[in-house]
Amino acid sequence: MRNRYVDLLRVVSLGVVIAGHWLMVIVEPTATGVRATNTLAVLPGLQPVTWLLQVMPVFFLVGGFSHATAIASVRRRGGGYADFVRSRAGRLLRPTAVFVGLWLAVALAVEAAGHDQGLLRLAMRTVAQPLWFLGVYLGIVALAPPLHRLHRALGRRAWLVPAGLGAAAALVDVLRFAFEVPMVAYLNVAFVWLAVHQLGYLYADARLGRRAAGLLAGLGLAATVALTTAGPYPVSMVGLPGAPVSNMSPPTLALLTHAAWLVGLALLLRAPAARWLERPRVWAAVIRANGAAMTAFLWHLTVLFAVLGGLLALGVAGPPVGSAAWWGLRPLWIAALALLTLAVVSVLRWADRPRRASIGGPGRPGTVAAIGGAVLCTLGVLGLSAVGFGGILAGRTAMLVVVPVTPASAATAVAVGGLLLWLSRGPGVRYGQEGRIVPQF
């Protein structure tokens, strides 16, 4: 039976991220082209609002819950590691492959025609940035089964896993800020997001009741206030251009305490939300939104840059950021972008539909192929988020931590990784205990 509140949290978290990007991204014409900035940089007094609007931790909580359910489903059907990873990764990679393929084709055409400049150049290097989230999530998919085994093995002490990951994140920040070891900071990409994901396992076990939720919310909020007041952490929970420290990239201990308080708040709202979700129309709307959420997430910045390009071409200049007129136009701005995104989703949502998933990979070879595929897809998607789609013919590179990547090498890694995941089925695939293909969970 589906958990309606989990489905609502998934839709709301992605929806808030999309709306936040639409509000934050500012593109202004200059004498030499265009420049991009951020509403939070122009209006720094709004930065505390990110404590409510930086909701990616909620998505990772939902991911932990969903993965716990999916792992149990695979086990009941006689499947193993490869079946879980292939199914969950495939669910993300299909709409991502469509997005990457179309944008690479556009970027090649634009560069070959000599138009890789101005707003087009900015768009080709920006629309891929949200892929960082999918890259991290793919890595978590690969780690989910062994971490779930650890969670089950610890029983009532399973809370030690997120606690230990939190302690590791704190140690990383000590090394980063007190001992000036900057490269160690990237370990928190794993420690912070895995800690939140493990809370999802506890939620799936019904161990995060109102008392636990209240403790997470209260202690998390107090710790976030302390860290951003007395520590080296900025108030904003999203990265800002030119800021010396970002709580997001790489993640910090402050982002983890923020995640704790936000997760606690979300769990405290579960009971009234569950009553609301009992309404048939509300639940039907959530189901429809879930079916298109990933496609909307992938394409929402493309829609934004298309609208900005049209306005610049028409010579339409908006009111100054933060003015009364600017705020008055924000509801119309969000509504217009939402309608255009729905139009894109209506064309491309076929890539977001769940597929039937096979069960029964060929043992160890299938596991090795699934691990290799997941690693390559993770690195490739993260690489695309770092380098973008522009500069393919010019050999544009960016650094993924310490590894140089190009759009071509990153896309190749995703393609080869996807092939390995497909091959992890093996030559003789079983389709569940009743001889049928098992619907994807």
Side-chain angles (χ1 to χ4, degrees):
M1 183 176 179
R2 293 180 70 166
N3 185 305
R4 295 189 176 192
Y5 189 50
V6 165
D7 284 339
L8 176 66
L9 289 178
R10 183 184 295 111
V11 170
V12 169
S13 58
L14 288 179
V16 170
V17 170
I18 290 171
H21 286 166
W22 287 341
L23 287 172
M24 286 191 299
V25 176
I26 301 172
V27 176
E28 299 173 336
T30 66
T32 57
V34 296
R35 74 179 185 96
T37 184
N38 190 302
T39 300
L40 296 175
V42 178
L43 304 172
L46 293 178
Q47 292 179 18
V49 178
T50 61
W51 290 22
L52 283 174
L53 299 183
Q54 173 48 281
V55 293
M56 272 304 178
V58 175
F59 192 93
F60 283 91
L61 171 82
V62 168
F65 181 99
S66 300
H67 290 163
T69 304
I71 289 168
S73 176
V74 168
R75 287 200 187 102
R76 286 195 301 270
R77 290 163 172 79
Y81 177 88
D83 304 302
F84 169 82
V85 173
R86 183 173 60 252
S87 176
R88 304 305 291 187
R91 179 67 178 83
L92 296 173
L93 287 172
R94 280 187 292 273
T96 302
V98 173
F99 173 75
V100 170
L102 289 175
W103 258 110
L104 284 175
V106 169
L108 275 170
V110 167
E111 190 174 3
H115 298 309
D116 181 13
Q117 55 191 339
L119 187 67
L120 276 174
R121 170 176 288 194
L122 180 63
M124 290 187 296
R125 298 180 181 183
T126 303
V127 295
Q129 289 181 3
L131 290 177
W132 74 264
F133 147 70
L134 292 179
V136 172
Y137 198 83
L138 284 167
I140 287 179
V141 166
L143 294 171
L147 285 173
H148 190 255
R149 278 197 297 273
L150 176 61
H151 171 84
R152 294 176 65 201
L154 288 172
R156 294 177 62 86
R157 295 178 295 173
W159 60 269
L160 290 172
V161 181
L165 289 165
L171 177 60
V172 164
D173 276 10
V174 169
L175 293 173
R176 176 185 178 183
F177 294 114
F179 293 94
E180 298 182 355
V181 186
M183 294 306 296
V184 75
Y186 289 97
L187 291 174
N188 272 352
V189 174
F191 294 150
V192 168
W193 295 119
L194 283 173
V196 182
H197 183 264
Q198 291 295 123
L199 292 177
Y201 287 162
L202 292 171
Y203 181 30
D205 290 346
R207 298 192 202 179
L208 295 181
R210 289 192 63 82
R211 181 180 178 184
L215 285 173
L216 280 172
L219 295 177
L221 182 59
T224 305
V225 171
L227 289 172
T228 55
T229 302
Y233 306 99
V235 170
S236 176
M237 291 298 153
V238 301
L240 298 177
V245 176
S246 167
N247 282 319
M248 273 293 296
S249 181
T252 63
L253 179 63
L255 183 67
L256 182 56
T257 60
H258 160 73
W261 109 262
L262 198 63
V263 164
L265 176 63
L267 295 177
L268 288 172
L269 296 174
R270 177 174 48 191
R275 291 192 294 271
W276 184 58
L277 287 167
E278 291 175 0
R279 302 178 182 180
R281 290 185 179 179
V282 173
W283 176 230
V286 171
I287 292 175
R288 287 194 298 271
N290 257 297
M294 192 53 61
T295 297
F297 175 79
L298 287 166
W299 290 96
H300 74 280
L301 285 183
T302 302
V303 170
L304 173 65
F305 277 99
V307 172
L308 290 172
L311 293 175
L312 287 174
L314 293 171
V316 177
V321 177
S323 65
W326 186 85
W327 281 113
L329 286 172
R330 289 315 90 188
L332 180 61
W333 177 250
I334 295 295
L337 292 172
L339 286 173
L340 291 171
T341 301
L342 284 175
V344 173
V345 167
S346 68
V347 175
L348 298 174
R349 67 176 301 172
W350 55 269
D352 215 357
R353 292 186 182 123
R355 306 288 179 88
R356 293 179 178 271
S358 58
I359 292 292
R364 182 177 177 83
T367 298
V368 172
I371 293 173
V375 169
L376 283 175
C377 286
T378 297
L379 294 176
V381 173
L382 288 174
L384 283 170
S385 75
V387 73
F389 298 114
I392 299 173
L393 299 178
R396 169 177 160 81
T397 63
M399 296 301 294
L400 180 60
V401 188
V402 295
V403 179
V405 292
T406 66
S409 66
T412 300
V414 175
V416 174
L419 177 62
L420 286 174
L421 288 170
W422 182 77
L423 292 174
S424 71
R425 299 180 307 167
V429 179
R430 293 182 288 110
Y431 296 101
Q433 296 177 352
E434 298 178 4
R436 294 181 287 105
I437 293 177
V438 180
Q440 183 170 345
F441 34 79

